């Protein structure tokens, strides 16, 4: 088994299940041209997020980690009439590119981009008495995932569905000698999630064009 094969299989599945979308292709091209890192979810993962949010009937979606708005677009397209998505991003350049990309995809009017450190923005949303979110996607700096879990739960209601990206890191989470702060952050997140009584959780490994990684999926009780 190799990354090359996983990528080929992803290409095949994408050709079967993801319709060609010029605006999403532009999103990737423009983000890359602006020097943003190419670490967005794959098209197949974007579609999974879209299907999950739509199935959850999510009217209010929270995303932590916008980048160029690629996953944001997939999620925003799951919103019903009157729905809204709030996405949190630290880097002004990323937020600016995301804004352009979202406008081009026709979902700009559905999305609020809040620029700043997400832990602070989450605290602000709590303070503002923001209505609970129906679906949350956690995908920013791995060091702060445990804090994002706490923040997301404060902004949830029973039944809220939460997905967290990158929870396996090529199996790095099992390496007892790892000093990578991202790996340590994910490990802390996973143990906190496992001990969290307010959720019912699972995690699945994934392979594909993004290598070997995984998603945690949990529901607020
Ligand atoms: N969800 C995106 C990818 C996000 S990449 C997609 O799949 O399309 C992670 C993003 O989190 C980057 O844009 C990075 O700038 C941002 N980020 C990193 N640290 C952050 C922080 N402390 N607060 C908010 N955003 C942060
Ligand atoms: C990285 C971040 C991500 O969210 C991702 O999906 C892949 C890689 C990174 O920071 O390297
Ligand atoms: Mg990710």
């Amino acid at each position: 088994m190799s990354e090359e094969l996983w990528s080929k299989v992803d290409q095949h599945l994408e050709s079967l299940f993801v319709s060609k979308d010029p605006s999403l292709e532009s999103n990737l091209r423009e983000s890359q041209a602006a020097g943003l890192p190419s670490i967005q979810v794959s098209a197949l993962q974007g579609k999974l997020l879209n299907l999950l949010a739509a199935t959850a009937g999510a009217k209010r979606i929270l995303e932590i980690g916008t980048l160029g708005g690629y996953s944001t677009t997939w999620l925003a397209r799951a919103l019903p009439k009157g729905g809204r998505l709030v996405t949190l991003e630290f880097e002004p350049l990323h937020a600016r590119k995301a804004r352009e990309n979202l406008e081009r995809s026709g979902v700009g009017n559905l999305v609020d981009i809040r620029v700043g450190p997400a832990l602070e923005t989450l605290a602000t949303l709590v303070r503002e008495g923001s209505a609970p979110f129906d679906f949350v996607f956690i995908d920013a700096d791995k060091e702060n995932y445990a804090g994002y879990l706490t923040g997301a739960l404060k902004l949830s209601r029973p039944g809220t569905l939460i997905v967290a990206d990158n929870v396996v890191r090529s199996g790095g989470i099992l390496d007892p000698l790892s000093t990578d702060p991202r790996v340590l952050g994910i490990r802390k997140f996973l143990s906190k999630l496992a001990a969290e009584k307010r959720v019912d959780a699972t995690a699945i490994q994934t392979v594909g064009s993004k290598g070997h990684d995984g998603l945690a999926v949990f529901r607020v009780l």
Side-chain angles (χ1 to χ4, degrees):
M1 286 286 268
S2 67
E3 294 224 18
E4 199 188 323
L5 178 60
W6 303 339
S7 283
K8 277 194 188 146
V9 173
D10 253 11
Q11 275 166 36
H12 178 60
L13 296 176
E14 189 179 325
S15 76
L16 290 175
F17 297 117
V18 183
S19 355
K20 270 214 157 305
D21 182 332
S23 90
L24 277 175
E25 282 164 20
S26 304
N27 177 307
L28 296 178
R29 208 171 35 247
E30 293 291 323
S31 294
Q32 193 168 17
L36 273 55
S38 189
I39 54 175
Q40 69 285 334
V41 296
S42 69
L44 291 160
Q45 291 171 335
K47 184 144 185 197
L48 174 65
L49 291 172
N50 175 282
L51 290 170
L52 290 172
T55 304
K59 236 187 138 175
R60 282 178 55 75
I61 297 177
L62 173 65
E63 176 180 69
I64 307 175
T66 316
L67 192 63
Y70 184 78
S71 54
T72 320
T73 303
W74 278 108
L75 285 168
R77 288 183 173 167
L79 288 169
K81 233 186 168 42
R84 277 209 89 66
L85 188 156
V86 178
T87 184
L88 317 186
E89 175 55 53
F90 178 66
E91 294 287 345
L93 171 66
H94 297 184
R96 215 155 51 234
K97 278 288 136 190
R99 174 50 61 200
E100 287 172 22
N101 286 333
L102 293 165
E103 298 297 342
R104 197 183 318 100
S105 294
V107 293
N109 58 332
L110 306 175
V111 180
D112 297 325
I113 307 178
R114 309 268 299 233
V115 182
L119 284 176
E120 285 180 24
T121 312
L122 287 168
T124 305
L125 288 168
V126 172
R127 223 170 29 241
E128 285 172 355
S130 152
F133 291 92
D134 310 304
F135 185 94
V136 183
F137 180 47
I138 301 175
D139 192 24
D141 50 322
K142 315 310 162 197
E143 293 86 336
N144 284 318
Y145 263 39
Y148 297 150
L149 172 58
T150 307
L153 289 176
K154 285 188 183 146
L155 293 163
S156 294
R157 51 141 179 102
T160 295
L161 184 63
I162 309 183
V163 176
D165 194 24
N166 310 116
V167 302
V168 172
R169 310 312 305 245
S170 305
I173 51 165
L174 291 190
D175 177 1
L177 300 179
S178 180
T179 53
D180 182 338
R182 292 168 300 184
V183 165
L184 301 182
I186 293 296
R187 206 184 277 153
K188 183 171 161 197
F189 164 79
L190 288 173
S191 54
K192 190 166 162 178
L193 180 61
E196 177 54 70
K197 298 281 196 297
R198 290 171 292 175
V199 305
D200 199 11
T202 189
I204 56 159
Q205 300 185 68
T206 54
V207 295
S209 58
K210 296 198 67 189
H212 172 210
D213 214 321
L215 295 171
V217 180
F218 46 109
R219 183 173 193 272
V220 178
L221 297 172

